[in-house]
Amino acid sequence: MTIDGFYGIIPAGGVGSRLWPLSRADAPKFLHDLTGSGRTLLQSTFQRLAPLAGEQRIMVVTGRAHRSAVEAQLPALTDANIVLEAEPRESTVAVLLAAAILERREPGVIVGSFAADHVIGDERGFRRAVTDAVAAARTGKIATIGITPTEPAIGFGYIQAGEPAGVPDAPRVTEVVRFVEKPSAADARTYVESGDFLWNAGMFIARADVLLAELARTEPELRAHIDDLAAAWDDQATRGPAVDRLWPQLKKIAIDYAVAEPAAERGGMVVVPGDFDWDDVGDFSAVAKLHNGALGADRLAILSGNATVLADGASGIVVSTTDRVISMVGVRDIVVVDTGDALLVTTTEHAQRVKQVVDAIRRSGNATVL
Amino acid sequence: MTIDGFYGIIPAGGVGSRLWPLSRADAPKFLHDLTGSGRTLLQSTFQRLAPLAGEQRIMVVTGRAHRSAVEAQLPALTDANIVLEAEPRESTVAVLLAAAILERREPGVIVGSFAADHVIGDERGFRRAVTDAVAAARTGKIATIGITPTEPAIGFGYIQAGEPAGVPDAPRVTEVVRFVEKPSAADARTYVESGDFLWNAGMFIARADVLLAELARTEPELRAHIDDLAAAWDDQATRGPAVDRLWPQLKKIAIDYAVAEPAAERGGMVVVPGDFDWDDVGDFSAVAKLHNGALGADRLAILSGNATVLADGASGIVVSTTDRVISMVGVRDIVVVDTGDALLVTTTEHAQRVKQVVDAIRRSGNATVL
């Protein structure tokens, strides 16, 4: 029941510093179970793609430091399906290097790239959207899945949908008019009211060669480096020297700028509306909401392995990786994150400010806890 | 400059469960520095009495488990000046046993008993009050020092002052009309407005033989046991057997019931108004207030040895005995108490409820953190 010729790519990078001190350099967001499902975000992403691509056809791109954690979490992942980054180089390198390696192994392959640290509620809806996106990719387009907005969020980029793209068997697919960066509150309201705008969730589905051709137009030097790396990749004797020589030269650029936006301008992008529950779990307020529900303002979410949490008149979320006794008394909309060497106390309202905290800690000389 | 024939008694008992998880069975409130002065409450109490009694004339009554901590904190304390309780037996045993031991060593001695875990701001005012109280004690009265109320608190007992007691050189000393238990809010307001009521701070100053005579009237059996213990106390050969035989039989009763209230009814109690800053530091809200001041609603008090505290838009208090990095973001009137095995998060408004938390923890089977 998998999709013919389809390969999943999971770029697993990014610390998720708004989720500090749970998420940190040596244990980033995607390695954590933030939903209480018993699976980490990476494991959920992998399992979501498995019915579409097959467990043997999912490639994970991650930092060298996370290799053992990723392999431990994904026993089905083979050596051929893990790409280790020598240093973080942003999303273009992560996705296009994987695409180039796969294209050499299997010319004409269709790849779909999905972040390792998002949460999707309705897996059937997700599979329908990916199926439509692959159909569009077969026509030579670059497809993205845009999430139907549930509120005028200002934390996401938007995609403006246009006319139907005429993809056989996938009538929901439309042209992309343009991508919009994170908007003002007023613009966000206008977008959502228009019904033409979708959230950009960073999901890209295309033939690998189409992505690479787009990169050749916008960033020819980066494209050449990626080609050289891909050519050397599958031979242990050549991979190391190629990485040592080329990695430092790889340009850091987001795939939105290097591929998606230029492709949209040329009319090469299409979008599938994703009407499934989706969350990028950007901060602890989002984690609390995932657990307590939008209406669960009076509940306390507890993510705790070995800690004992005693709550009395408390709401919000408490996360612990310790085995301490934690008492929460009369605190509303609270966020408590308790780890061995760091403690965060804030509120769901201020959860976004954790990023500034992380910056302050770096300046204070306590970077070992980051 | 010390007072002739005066001996200080410091009953150092009571866990202070509203200050959990800082204060706990093996490290009760009086062993902690809650004021940021660099001295624990016990050390401050001792140093406050030293100019009045002399360092060699202060007796500490505490549990066997706290012997080494007390001796470490009070290097001037000799073996003769520490009374170890086999089991906690309430304030009558603590104060009257010390008084009985001292009376045998020094007939006619005047003792003054002061809790180990209160904070007094104005030491000069305290010394004036004790001096007046000793003058009253010399006339055969039992004297107490009543704190001039600053608000209609419902957490303290009150003392109603009556006519001047006619103590030579101490015209402020008055008769005690009656003791009142913790009142309703309405009664407390009436008391404070009347100007006749003082807070009962549990300070008692009297000739040891007068205290013991009062106990003989109200609790003759307890008085007899205390006499027997005192007679056996100063000989190592007899103390142990006497403690083993008598301690289990000692009645648990507060000195207020066994001595002070009955004495007041018979016209034997007098009170000295204590117009100095006094606080029993009953909960973390009081600790915060000690640090931030009554008007410091927007400040964050930090009691932390090795922890690094980073605060942004936070007020209230954070107490830590760990070496963690603690970030407090946008939390108002918060109380965070961070220890190795337990964490408390509440607000200054709900700080009193910590006692219920402790009860809940005991029921939950996590008593090791208490």
Side-chain angles (χ1 to χ4, degrees):
Chain A
M1 298 296 289
T2 58
I3 302 171
D4 261 4
F6 178 64
Y7 222 101
I9 298 173
I10 304 177
V15 171
S17 52
R18 283 187 190 85
L19 293 173
W20 179 88
L22 182 66
S23 184
R24 48 177 75 198
D26 62 357
K29 180 180 163 191
F30 57 83
L31 294 176
H32 294 279
D33 171 15
L34 295 179
T35 64
S37 66
R39 296 203 298 250
T40 68
L41 296 182
L42 174 65
Q43 287 174 319
S44 293
T45 305
F46 190 90
Q47 294 197 17
R48 195 156 53 233
L49 288 175
L52 295 163
E55 278 194 344
Q56 304 307 312
R57 294 174 64 83
I58 301 169
M59 181 171 266
V60 175
V61 186
T62 194
R64 285 176 176 172
H66 309 310
R67 177 183 196 155
S68 59
V70 167
E71 289 179 342
Q73 291 195 2
L74 302 177
L77 196 68
T78 59
D79 273 0
N81 273 335
I82 185 163
V83 172
L84 297 174
E85 300 175 294
E87 297 281 342
R89 277 297 179 273
E90 287 269 10
S91 54
T92 300
V93 168
V95 177
L96 276 284
L97 174 57
I101 293 168
L102 293 170
E103 172 66 17
R104 291 188 72 91
R105 293 184 192 162
E106 182 178 321
V109 66
I110 292 173
V111 297
S113 166
F114 305 90
D117 54 6
H118 294 175
V119 168
I120 287 171
D122 169 18
E123 306 222 342
R124 220 136 61 125
F126 173 74
R127 289 197 292 268
R128 274 197 307 269
V130 173
T131 305
D132 282 359
V134 172
R138 293 200 200 281
T139 70
K141 298 285 188 182
I142 301 174
T144 186
I145 297 172
I147 310 298
T148 308
T150 53
E151 53 175 344
I154 59 170
F156 306 133
Y158 283 73
I159 303 165
Q160 185 176 4
E163 298 300 313
V167 175
D169 299 326
R172 296 188 302 166
V173 182
T174 67
E175 308 285 349
V176 169
V177 177
R178 59 173 174 141
F179 286 86
V180 191
E181 304 256 344
K182 294 176 186 178
S184 68
D187 284 350
R189 246 189 324 274
T190 311
Y191 294 166
V192 172
E193 280 165 10
S194 78
D196 293 339
F197 285 79
L198 301 160
W199 287 337
N200 180 1
M203 303 176 183
F204 297 103
I205 300 94
R207 287 205 329 254
D209 66 333
V210 171
L211 290 175
L212 291 160
E214 191 62 44
L215 189 63
R217 285 188 197 93
T218 58
E219 297 283 349
E221 190 180 316
L222 180 55
R223 159 73 200 257
H225 291 335
I226 284 175
D227 276 348
D228 291 349
L229 276 168
W233 200 262
D234 280 339
D235 184 338
Q236 286 296 342
T238 54
R239 186 196 296 181
V243 168
D244 291 346
R245 180 172 59 86
L246 294 165
W247 207 271
Q249 306 177 54
L250 297 177
K251 183 172 178 175
K252 289 183 177 179
I253 182 169
I255 191 169
D256 302 74
Y257 304 141
V259 175
E261 293 180 14
E265 273 174 32
R266 294 192 311 100
M269 286 283 322
V270 298
V271 61
V272 183
D275 49 3
F276 44 80
D277 287 344
W278 167 87
D279 201 307
D280 76 340
V281 208
D283 60 26
F284 283 112
S285 173
V287 180
K289 211 166 150 187
L290 276 177
H291 285 259
N292 297 338
L295 299 173
D298 250 19
R299 295 183 52 195
L300 180 72
I302 299 174
L303 270 84
S304 140
N306 298 316
T308 302
V309 177
L310 295 163
D312 176 14
S315 66
I317 184 166
V318 52
V319 183
S320 179
T321 63
T322 76
D323 56 1
R324 305 205 296 174
V325 171
I326 301 175
S327 285
M328 319 268 294
V329 181
V331 277
R332 298 281 164 188
D333 301 320
I334 198 82
V335 173
V336 170
V337 186
D338 167 62
T339 73
D341 58 4
L343 171 67
L344 170 72
V345 181
T346 185
T347 63
T348 52
E349 185 193 350
H350 293 108
Q352 280 283 328
R353 284 163 66 187
V354 173
K355 201 173 160 62
Q356 284 99 291
V357 169
V358 167
D359 295 340
I361 291 171
R362 193 168 285 116
R363 287 194 303 272
S364 78
N366 288 281
T368 52
V369 303
L370 296 181
Chain B
M1 301 296 292
T2 57
I3 301 173
D4 261 4
F6 178 64
Y7 222 101
I9 297 173
I10 304 177
V15 170
S17 52
R18 284 189 189 83
L19 292 172
W20 179 89
L22 181 66
S23 184
R24 49 177 76 197
D26 62 357
K29 181 182 165 192
F30 58 83
L31 294 175
H32 294 280
D33 172 13
L34 295 178
T35 64
S37 65
R39 295 203 299 249
T40 67
L41 297 183
L42 175 64
Q43 288 175 318
S44 293
T45 304
F46 189 90
Q47 294 197 15
R48 197 156 52 233
L49 287 176
L52 294 164
E55 278 193 345
Q56 302 309 311
R57 294 176 63 85
I58 301 170
M59 181 170 266
V60 175
V61 185
T62 194
R64 283 176 177 172
H66 309 311
R67 177 183 194 153
S68 60
V70 166
E71 289 178 342
Q73 292 195 2
L74 302 177
L77 196 67
T78 60
D79 274 359
N81 273 335
I82 184 162
V83 171
L84 297 175
E85 299 175 294
E87 297 281 343
R89 279 295 181 274
E90 289 268 12
S91 52
T92 300
V93 168
V95 177
L96 276 285
L97 174 57
I101 293 167
L102 292 171
E103 172 67 16
R104 290 187 73 90
R105 291 182 193 163
E106 182 178 320
V109 67
I110 292 173
V111 296
S113 166
F114 305 90
D117 55 6
H118 294 175
V119 169
I120 288 172
D122 169 17
E123 305 222 342
R124 220 138 59 127
F126 172 74
R127 288 197 292 269
R128 272 199 306 269
V130 174
T131 303
D132 282 357
V134 171
R138 290 197 201 283
T139 71
K141 298 286 186 182
I142 301 175
T144 185
I145 298 172
I147 310 297
T148 308
T150 53
E151 54 175 345
I154 59 169
F156 305 133
Y158 283 73
I159 302 164
Q160 185 176 5
E163 297 300 312
V167 175
D169 300 326
R172 298 188 301 165
V173 183
T174 66
E175 308 286 348
V176 169
V177 177
R178 60 177 174 138
F179 286 86
V180 190
E181 302 257 344
K182 293 175 185 178
S184 68
D187 283 349
R189 246 188 326 273
T190 310
Y191 294 166
V192 173
E193 281 165 10
S194 77
D196 293 337
F197 285 77
L198 301 160
W199 287 337
N200 180 1
M203 303 175 183
F204 296 104
I205 299 96
R207 285 203 331 249
D209 65 332
V210 170
L211 290 175
L212 290 161
E214 190 63 42
L215 188 64
R217 280 185 202 97
T218 59
E219 298 283 349
E221 190 180 317
L222 181 56
R223 159 73 201 259
H225 291 335
I226 285 175
D227 275 348
D228 290 350
L229 277 168
W233 201 263
D234 280 339
D235 183 340
Q236 287 295 343
T238 54
R239 185 194 298 180
V243 168
D244 291 346
R245 180 171 60 87
L246 293 166
W247 207 272
Q249 307 177 52
L250 297 176
K251 183 171 179 176
K252 288 183 178 180
I253 182 169
I255 191 169
D256 302 74
Y257 304 140
V259 175
E261 293 182 11
E265 273 175 32
R266 294 191 313 101
M269 286 281 323
V270 298
V271 61
V272 183
D275 49 1
F276 45 80
D277 288 345
W278 168 88
D279 201 310
D280 75 339
V281 209
D283 60 27
F284 283 112
S285 173
V287 180
K289 211 166 152 191
L290 275 178
H291 285 258
N292 297 340
L295 298 172
D298 249 19
R299 296 180 55 196
L300 180 71
I302 299 174
L303 269 84
S304 139
N306 298 315
T308 303
V309 177
L310 296 163
D312 177 12
S315 66
I317 183 166
V318 53
V319 182
S320 179
T321 63
T322 76
D323 57 1
R324 306 205 293 176
V325 171
I326 301 175
S327 285
M328 318 269 294
V329 182
V331 276
R332 297 281 165 189
D333 301 320
I334 198 84
V335 172
V336 170
V337 186
D338 167 61
T339 73
D341 57 3
L343 172 66
L344 169 73
V345 182
T346 185
T347 63
T348 51
E349 187 193 349
H350 293 109
Q352 281 282 328
R353 283 162 65 186
V354 172
K355 201 172 160 63
Q356 284 98 292
V357 169
V358 167
D359 294 340
I361 291 171
R362 192 168 287 119
R363 288 194 302 270
S364 78
N366 288 280
T368 53
V369 304
L370 296 181

